[in-house]
Structures are given as structure tokens and as C-alpha cells.
């Protein structure tokens, strides 16, 4: 049998799935237990309170579903909309593309606003569509908050401002899969009606939990929505909530205990400190990219992501070779370019349970890989730029002050 893993640890720097903290691994290392015992409702009730805390909502109703982000997408759509309902949605990268494909498969009237990959959602076109929609035929606006294929983040506050300006009743559905718990997310302040994430991104868990919050407006819409739904039906959950049992089927016990441990780590660090750490890591990565003489796929400062950096390579280099070489020689996992940017970008994920020295190791590996594939990088240039910035900005660990 071939020796697959190599010595030491794999350096995981894809934008999800991400590194899992030891505390979370230990919390999940447990036997099965009776999900109808009095212990589970106590655990779930506390998790629901903490979901609301990280989504920054007082009014939202949480749902923790054993699924992926794709399942969370479907849950958000089918619980709030009916077949043929008109949706305005933004195509800005691979994951917005996949959500759009799902919207079409679910038989909605999908009104796509497309931007060049590397740009954010075109909010001028949204404004125009809402202005022309006196009859309020638009039932929902769907936005991917952070598009990991291009490293682009959208401004949700601006989306809400436009909706409010036209006094439009459309629901605002937001994919926060790679943003929630990495970037500041304000569900109530931004008037988000359904926000969703999944466990393998900034929450730093294995894949397997889709986590949503629905506003009172979204819950009201779910009473009239006529889309077919069964496993993802919110009403089944709400009945269980009223009965104090929380789940209409067997939940993922181990993942829920892992989620408990993940939340404990977030709150120990402090949510605002978590966001600041992600910003710091992202700034350091962008400085390294600049020092290498390469460009960020995100075309404007307002769009750059603090969760992932998509790096554009010169036309004569295949970014897929960079990803392969990094894995084969340095045990470094980078994100490859997807769809329209396949072969053109590689991606450095800097979200989840990660610290500054881990990032510097990644940047050193990227430099060596770039040199391997024939790019004339000066070894140490990006690491020097990043470490110079980090040395000035890393705070003391609070528990060690």
C-alpha cells in the first residue's frame, strides 16, 4: 500500500472544509445516545440561543439540520417560496451559479443578474429591477454573501438599503456559508429574512450540519409557500419546538456536541476578536500576493474577502499545476480555480480555526510552489511582507496577558 499522508500534518488551506480544533474533535469522540432523553433538548436549546448570537438576531428562529450547505439552500427556498415565484439572484462565481441551478430545478422564475467573475453583485441593476416592479412580482432577492470561488464579498447593508428605498416586500435570502463566523454578520440590522451557513466552513466542524435562521416575515411566508418539501419542512421542526423535543427525526448527535465545543471556542475568543483575526490574516495574505507580483481576483477593495483570497496567475501558468504541486511536494492543500476561473486562479483559504504562524507556513509553501512551476518569485518576499505586518498587529493572547 502506498504511503499517502507523508510526515507531519497536512496544511489545509482550502476555503472549506477547514481545520478542526482538537477541542471539537474530542467533543465529538463519544458514543451514540438516546436522542429522546431529557439531555438533547437542553443541548439543542442552548445551541439555538448561540446560533442567534452568532447570526446577530433577536427575532430569528434557528434550524439545525443534518445536511450540507446545498440542503440549507433548498430549505431556505422551498419553505418561503412557491413554484414560478420570481427571484432576483446574482451570478458572480461558482457557488452563486450552483444556487441558481438549484433555483431553476425547483421551478422558480429565476431572474439572473450576472457580473464578471471577480466583481460583486451589480446593485445598480437590482435597484432598476425593484424600481420597475410596482406590482411586487419579485418575491425574493438571493445573495451569496461571500463567493469563495473568486474571493468576493457583497455588501448586504447596501442590498437592504435598496430594498427599503423602494419599500419592496421581497424576502432577502442570504448564503452565508463561508461568511458567518468569519465575517461580521448582522441578520437583524441588515433585514435578512433567511440566513444560512454550514458546519465545515468557519465553524470548523466536519461537513454535515446546515444551520439557518428565519425572520418572522420568512416564517409567515412559509405558511403560504407551496413548494414541495418534506425533510426540510420548517413546520415539522416548529411542532417539535412546541413539544420540547426539537427534532422530527434522529439528529447528528456527535456533530451537535462538536457544535457546542465550537461555539465555546468562539465565545472564549470573543466574536469581534474572531472577525479581527480573519481580517488580519486576510490582510497579511493580500500583502504577500502583492509582494509576489500577482493580483487578487477581487477587482475592487470593497469586494475583497476576509475568508479567502483568489490569486490570479500569469496566462502561461496553469493554476491547477500549482495546486497539484503544492499537495504532492509540500503536503499543502490549496483551492483550485473553478468553472470560469479554472486554471486561472488558485485560492488560499484563511478562515476557521487558524492562527498567524499557520498562515505564514502556508505562504512559504506557496512561494516554493510558485518557484517550482517557473514563476520568478523571490523566496521569502511574501512571507516577509506578511510577517512584517503580523508582527505589528498580532495581539497578546488574552488568557496569557
Amino acid at each position: 500500500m502506498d504511503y499517502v499522508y507523508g510526515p507531519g500534518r497536512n496544511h489545509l488551506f482550502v476555503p472549506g472544509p477547514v481545520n478542526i480544533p482538537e477541542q471539537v474533535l474530542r467533543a465529538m469522540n463519544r458514543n451514540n445516545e438516546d436522542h429522546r432523553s431529557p439531555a438533547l433538548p437542553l443541548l439543542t436549546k442552548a445551541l439555538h440561543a448561540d446560533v442567534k448570537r452568532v447570526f446577530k438576531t433577536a427575532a430569528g428562529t434557528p434550524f439545525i439540520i443534518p445536511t450540507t450547505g446545498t440542503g440549507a439552500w433548498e430549505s431556505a427556498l422551498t419553505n418561503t417560496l412557491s413554484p414560478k415565484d420570481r427571484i432576483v439572484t446574482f451570478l458572480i462565481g461558482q457557488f452563486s451559479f450552483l444556487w441558481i441551478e438549484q433555483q431553476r430545478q425547483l421551478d422558480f422564475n429565476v431572474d439572473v443578474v450576472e457580473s464578471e467573475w471577480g466583481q460583486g453583485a451589480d446593485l445598480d441593476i437590482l435597484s432598476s429591477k425593484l424600481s420597475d416592479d410596482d406590482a411586487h412580482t419579485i418575491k425574493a432577492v438571493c445573495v451569496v454573501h461571500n463567493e469563495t470561488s473568486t474571493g468576493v464579498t457583497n455588501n448586504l447593508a447596501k442590498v437592504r438599503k435598496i430594498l427599503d428605498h423602494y419599500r419592496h416586500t421581497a424576502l432577502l435570502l442570504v448564503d452565508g456559508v463561508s461568511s458567518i463566523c468569519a465575517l461580521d454578520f448582522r441578520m437583524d440590522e441588515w433585514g435578512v429574512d433567511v440566513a444560512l451557513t454550514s458546519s465545515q466552513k468557519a465553524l470548523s466542524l466536519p461537513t454535515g450540519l446546515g444551520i439557518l435562521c428565519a425572520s418572522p416575515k420568512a416564517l409567515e411566508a412559509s405558511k403560504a409557500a407551496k413548494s414541495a418539501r418534506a425533510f426540510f419542512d420548517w413546520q415539522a421542526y416548529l411542532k417539535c419546538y412546541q413539544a420540547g423535543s426539537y427534532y422530527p427525526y434522529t439528529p447528528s448527535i456527535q456533530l451537535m456536541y462538536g457544535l457546542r465545543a465550537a461555539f465555546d471556542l468562539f465565545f472564549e475568543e470573543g466574536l469581534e476578536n474572531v472577525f479581527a483575526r480573519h481580517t488580519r490574516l486576510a490582510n497579511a495574505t493580500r500583502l504577500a500576493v502583492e509582494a509576489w507580483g500577482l493580483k487578487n481576483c477581487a477587482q475592487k477593495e470593497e469586494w475583497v474577502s476576509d475568508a479567502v483570497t483568489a490569486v490570479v496567475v500569469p496566462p502561461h501558468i496553469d493554476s491547477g499545476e500549482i495546486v497539484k504541486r503544492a499537495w504532492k511536494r509540500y503536503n499543502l492543500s490549496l483551492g483550485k480555480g473553478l468553472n470560469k476561473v479554472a486554471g486561472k486562479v488558485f485560492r488560499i483559504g484563511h478562515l476557521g480555526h487558524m492562527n498567524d504562524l499557520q498562515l505564514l507556513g502556508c505562504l512559504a509553501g506557496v512561494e516554493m510552489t510558485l518557484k517550482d512551476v517557473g514563476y520568478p518569485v523571490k523566496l521569502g518576499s511574501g512571507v516577509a511582507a506578511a510577517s512584517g505586518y503580523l508582527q505589528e498587529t498580532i495581539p497578546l493572547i488574552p488568557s496569557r496577558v
Side-chain angles (χ1 to χ4, degrees):
M1 181 178 179
D2 292 336
Y3 187 61
V4 176
Y5 297 104
R9 299 190 67 170
N10 170 253
H11 302 278
L12 184 60
F13 284 86
V14 298
V18 303
N19 298 283
I20 303 174
E22 293 295 332
Q23 296 92 324
V24 172
L25 290 171
R26 289 195 294 270
M28 293 188 298
N29 186 20
R30 60 197 308 123
N31 207 336
N32 282 327
E33 61 183 67
D34 178 11
H35 63 284
R36 295 186 176 90
S37 76
L40 187 70
L42 292 174
L43 172 65
T44 308
K45 185 176 181 180
L47 290 176
H48 279 198
D50 288 339
V51 168
K52 295 175 69 170
R53 188 173 170 186
V54 299
F55 281 59
K56 293 190 177 178
T57 178
T61 296
F63 300 94
I64 303 174
I65 304 174
T67 186
T68 63
T70 304
W73 283 346
E74 184 170 334
S75 180
L77 294 167
T78 57
N79 278 282
T80 57
L81 300 167
S82 299
K84 308 301 182 184
D85 276 353
R86 182 184 175 194
I87 301 171
V88 172
T89 188
F90 300 92
L91 175 52
I92 61 170
Q94 176 66 4
F95 296 97
S96 55
F97 167 77
L98 292 174
W99 198 13
I100 288 166
E101 288 297 291
Q102 184 188 79
Q103 292 160 18
R104 287 173 169 152
Q105 290 165 6
L106 293 170
D107 198 26
F108 299 118
N109 175 11
V110 186
D111 187 347
V112 178
V113 179
E114 186 168 2
S115 299
E116 180 182 342
W117 288 33
Q119 297 179 358
D122 192 328
L123 300 186
D124 289 336
I125 293 181
L126 173 65
S127 183
S128 176
K129 288 182 180 293
L130 294 176
S131 175
D132 293 340
D133 188 33
D134 293 334
H136 287 195
T137 63
I138 300 169
K139 300 304 179 184
V141 174
C142 293
V143 185
V144 172
H145 187 200
N146 188 76
E147 174 58 68
T148 53
S149 65
T150 56
V152 164
T153 300
N154 286 305
N155 188 324
L156 298 179
K158 287 186 178 180
V159 177
R160 170 45 58 192
K161 186 176 180 180
I162 293 168
L163 283 162
D164 289 348
H165 176 77
Y166 293 105
R167 298 182 181 179
H168 205 286
T169 57
L171 295 166
L172 177 55
L173 310 185
V174 174
D175 169 343
V177 169
S178 61
S179 64
I180 292 173
C181 292
L183 316 181
D184 192 8
F185 193 91
R186 306 182 183 191
M187 181 173 175
D188 284 357
E189 182 179 329
W190 296 337
V192 175
D193 291 299
V194 184
L196 62 95
T197 190
S198 57
S199 53
Q200 79 280 9
K201 299 284 188 175
L203 282 167
S204 302
L205 290 159
T207 306
L209 292 180
I211 302 170
L212 304 92
C213 260
S215 72
K217 181 180 173 182
L219 289 181
E220 191 63 30
S222 73
K223 296 176 184 177
K226 293 181 173 57
S227 292
R229 53 194 186 269
F231 182 78
F232 294 120
D233 189 0
W234 292 350
Q235 296 305 316
Y237 277 81
L238 294 172
K239 288 178 183 177
C240 288
Y241 293 175
Q242 292 173 356
S245 57
Y246 284 94
Y247 268 92
Y249 40 66
T250 308
S252 301
I253 296 288
Q254 287 80 2
L255 283 174
M256 292 178 68
Y257 280 105
L259 182 60
R260 173 70 275 147
F263 280 150
D264 289 344
L265 288 173
F266 276 113
F267 300 138
E268 178 184 327
E269 184 177 358
L271 280 178
E272 300 309 314
N273 294 330
V274 171
F275 304 145
R277 172 168 53 82
H278 281 82
T279 298
R280 188 173 69 247
L281 295 174
N283 285 338
T285 303
R286 291 191 281 266
L287 286 169
V289 171
E290 183 179 355
W292 297 331
L294 297 174
K295 292 185 178 180
N296 196 317
C297 185
Q299 295 178 14
K300 290 184 180 179
E301 185 70 24
E302 65 186 273
W303 292 324
V304 294
S305 170
D306 284 351
V308 55
T309 299
V311 184
V312 180
V313 300
H316 66 281
I317 292 177
D318 179 357
S319 66
E321 290 303 311
I322 293 173
V323 174
K324 288 179 185 177
R325 182 72 171 187
W327 185 79
K328 287 182 176 181
R329 190 173 191 197
Y330 304 112
N331 205 6
L332 170 62
S333 294
L334 302 170
K336 66 180 182 179
L338 302 171
N339 200 319
K340 287 188 177 183
V341 292
K344 299 177 181 178
V345 308
F346 67 91
R347 297 174 296 147
I348 301 172
H350 33 75
L351 72 164
H353 191 72
M354 181 185 301
N355 64 33
D356 309 82
L357 296 187
Q358 287 175 282
L359 178 67
L360 290 174
C362 168
L363 298 178
V366 172
E367 288 185 356
M368 291 188 290
T369 305
L370 288 171
K371 200 166 186 67
D372 285 350
V373 300
Y375 181 74
V377 64
K378 180 182 178 182
L379 291 180
S381 58
V383 173
S387 59
Y389 165 78
L390 293 172
Q391 192 275 327
E392 294 180 350
T393 57
I394 296 173
L396 293 174
I397 299 171
S399 62
R400 302 177 187 180
V401 174

